[in-house]
Amino acid sequence: MTFVCGFKCTDGIVICTDSLEADGLTKRAVDKIKFAATVGPTGWAIAVAGAGPGGLLEKFWSDVRAALPMNAPYKQRQFENIVEVVLSHYHKKYPNDPIRIILGLSANHGMERLLYRSEDDYLTPVLDHAHVGVGHSLWRFLSDVLYRKLMSVEDVERLAIFIMKQAIKYVDGVDGPIQVAAYTFGEPLWRGPAAKEIRTIEGEFKHDDLVEVLRKYWRIHNPPTREEQLNKYGGVRTPGDELTLLEGVKLEELYTVAGRRRASKIFRRNTDKLQQRGLLERQRRQGPASGASQPSVGKNRT
């Protein structure tokens, strides 16, 4: 199984993969990003990573590389045709072992920076980001939330490592070490952060910090939990309606003047309960660390 993602940036392209190759019995770490380039006035450089049977992908890359015009002037359509011819051949010859690729192409000193994703036997241009392999739902959520078209190569390298780290933790068949290849405008070749740098960036993304952010978001946007209500009031109340915390208040009586007068007296007698509820609301919104300050009266939630 494989997780491959590609991004277009303001100044280049980034491709990121995991390293796991497994056949159901054994597994090993392999280099999944392949490169080819030529230098000169119309030099070009490509990087390819794919999802599918490992041996078949190696053979596919070998056939593509052998067909590339290593000493000929760069022509975009010629490159696309070469890859699509090989894709079509493999699609017909190995219908039960489909392969999918992400391909990045730079040419003319970075004036042309193109990203493609394969669809069966043809290439589709990608204007923002793309993914092949497992973990589609996780990929879609994280990339849609965090990716922006104005991000630089350096920004996207970090984003790709973060997304891949989550895939390694939560998606079956994906494992490290993480591999990253990047092309930056003006550079002759593809490069990427060294393995040590990737590990350093990975270490900055603490899983516990991510979990705490999600839990805090949940606390802010939800009423107090049953556990919180039991701890504070000794029973479970209807979340968000302070009136239900006051014994003797009947909601239907508030439609009359006499009922409102009666309720106002009950409010005055239950000031402590209202302050407790306000304090709990404040703790829930600001987090546990800031809940020891002066209590305040909570507001109705609708």
Side-chain angles (χ1 to χ4, degrees):
M1 307 295 282
T2 297
F3 190 99
V4 182
C5 54
F7 300 84
K8 291 200 74 173
C9 319
T10 55
D11 57 344
I13 302 170
V14 173
I15 294 176
C16 183
T17 79
D18 72 317
S19 296
L20 178 65
E21 182 179 274
D23 59 9
L25 296 175
T26 61
K27 63 180 184 179
R28 60 174 182 156
V30 298
D31 293 329
K32 293 187 177 181
I33 307 177
K34 308 298 182 181
F35 304 94
T38 184
V39 295
T42 58
W44 52 265
I46 67 172
V48 178
L56 201 60
L57 284 167
E58 290 285 347
K59 182 176 174 61
F60 167 82
W61 170 245
S62 178
D63 290 346
V64 169
R65 184 179 177 87
L68 290 173
M70 300 300 294
N71 299 312
Y74 164 77
K75 294 180 181 179
Q76 176 187 340
R77 190 55 194 160
Q78 182 183 19
F79 273 77
E80 293 175 354
N81 286 337
I82 288 171
V83 177
E84 288 179 339
V85 166
V86 182
L87 276 173
S88 179
H89 170 71
Y90 276 72
H91 183 67
K92 294 175 182 177
K93 188 173 182 179
Y94 308 101
N96 297 323
D97 294 308
I99 60 175
R100 299 283 302 281
I101 66 167
I102 296 288
L103 184 148
L105 169 64
S106 63
N108 296 328
H109 305 288
M111 296 305 294
E112 292 189 57
R113 301 186 298 278
L114 305 169
L115 182 65
Y116 299 91
R117 178 186 61 206
S118 69
E119 303 286 350
D120 294 332
D121 58 354
Y122 62 94
L123 294 175
T124 298
V126 175
L127 300 180
D128 45 16
H129 51 77
H131 157 265
V132 297
V134 296
H136 177 77
S137 297
L138 177 66
W139 154 259
R140 179 57 58 189
F141 170 70
L142 293 175
S143 59
D144 283 355
V145 170
L146 300 175
Y147 168 81
R148 297 293 180 268
K149 288 186 177 180
L150 295 180
M151 295 175 78
S152 67
V153 166
E154 184 177 357
D155 298 330
V156 172
E157 284 177 346
R158 293 182 62 86
L159 174 59
I161 292 169
F162 171 75
I163 292 176
M164 192 63 63
K165 182 172 182 177
Q166 307 315 309
I168 290 171
K169 183 171 183 62
Y170 293 108
V171 179
D172 185 35
V174 180
D175 203 354
I178 296 172
Q179 302 174 30
V180 179
Y183 177 81
T184 304
F185 176 78
E187 296 290 335
L189 301 172
W190 286 71
R191 60 156 190 83
K196 183 178 180 180
E197 184 179 353
I198 292 175
R199 289 194 298 271
T200 299
I201 295 173
E202 280 189 84
E204 295 173 7
F205 299 128
K206 303 296 185 184
H207 179 68
D208 289 346
D209 294 343
L210 177 61
V211 170
E212 180 55 33
V213 168
L214 290 174
R215 288 176 176 169
K216 185 174 182 180
Y217 175 89
W218 183 258
R219 290 195 301 269
I220 290 174
H221 294 281
N222 285 278
T225 65
R226 283 178 173 266
E227 180 185 7
E228 289 172 323
Q229 294 180 60
L230 286 169
N231 289 339
K232 283 290 182 180
Y233 310 116
V236 176
R237 307 290 185 173
T238 303
D241 189 351
E242 285 80 357
L243 292 177
T244 63
L245 302 176
L246 307 180
E247 294 179 4
V249 173
K250 297 179 180 180
L251 297 182
E252 62 271 17
E253 291 184 355
L254 297 181
Y255 291 101
T256 66
V257 174
R260 288 194 293 273
R261 288 176 179 172
R262 180 172 175 273
S264 67
K265 295 178 182 179
I266 297 174
F267 269 104
R268 288 194 292 272
R269 290 199 302 267
N270 288 272
T271 300
D272 289 344
K273 282 190 175 183
L274 288 173
Q275 287 180 333
Q276 286 181 340
R277 178 55 183 259
L279 179 60
L280 179 59
E281 288 285 323
R282 184 172 180 177
Q283 290 174 338
R284 182 174 62 81
R285 291 180 179 279
Q286 299 181 358
S290 58
S293 57
Q294 184 177 357
S296 60
V297 177
K299 297 182 180 179
N300 285 326
R301 294 175 58 87
T302 57

